[in-house]
Amino acid sequence: MQADENLKSNPAFAGISPFKVMFLEQILKEMQKQNKDTLMPFFLAVNAKAAQMGVAFTDEETQMIFSEMEKKMSPEEKSRFQMIQKMMKKS
């Protein structure tokens, strides 16, 4: 996945608040540093940080975000990401 993707210029993110887009850009940059063993703890930490900051995404925003993220992933990254999504839904 490309870390240099500028979400502000992506039309899919036009309806999301600028603060949320900035938060997402930070997450994407940090996600690049993660390996398969640290992805789940990373996403749990992101979820906790978002809650602390009062950042909440609607179900529609979340699905759109995941869809856009998956477009930039390799098949292996996509598989891991989908597994993490399933695990997070069960929590």
Side-chain angles (χ1 to χ4, degrees):
M1 186 166 46
Q2 297 292 323
D4 58 0
E5 174 78 14
N6 186 347
L7 299 181
K8 293 178 190 107
S9 64
N10 185 329
F13 292 90
I16 298 179
S17 79
F19 181 76
K20 286 182 180 180
V21 172
M22 185 175 67
F23 184 77
L24 286 172
E25 286 178 333
Q26 290 175 329
I27 291 169
L28 291 174
K29 286 178 186 173
E30 288 298 316
M31 191 173 131
Q32 294 298 308
K33 300 174 187 174
Q34 306 304 311
N35 64 44
K36 65 179 182 176
D37 298 325
T38 62
L39 271 176
M40 186 62 176
F42 170 74
F43 279 111
L44 293 173
V46 165
N47 190 36
K49 182 177 179 180
Q52 285 177 337
M53 296 175 66
V55 176
F57 295 96
T58 66
D59 290 341
E60 293 82 17
E61 288 174 336
T62 301
Q63 187 57 47
M64 187 265 312
I65 291 163
F66 288 164
S67 293
E68 288 297 311
M69 289 172 69
E70 286 178 356
K71 289 178 185 178
K72 309 291 187 224
M73 294 179 179
S74 70
E76 181 181 314
E77 288 173 321
K78 192 175 190 176
S79 177
R80 282 187 280 151
F81 187 67
Q82 289 171 346
M83 180 188 67
I84 290 169
Q85 284 178 275
K86 288 177 186 176
M87 292 173 69
M88 290 178 75
K89 286 181 182 179
K90 291 180 182 180
S91 303

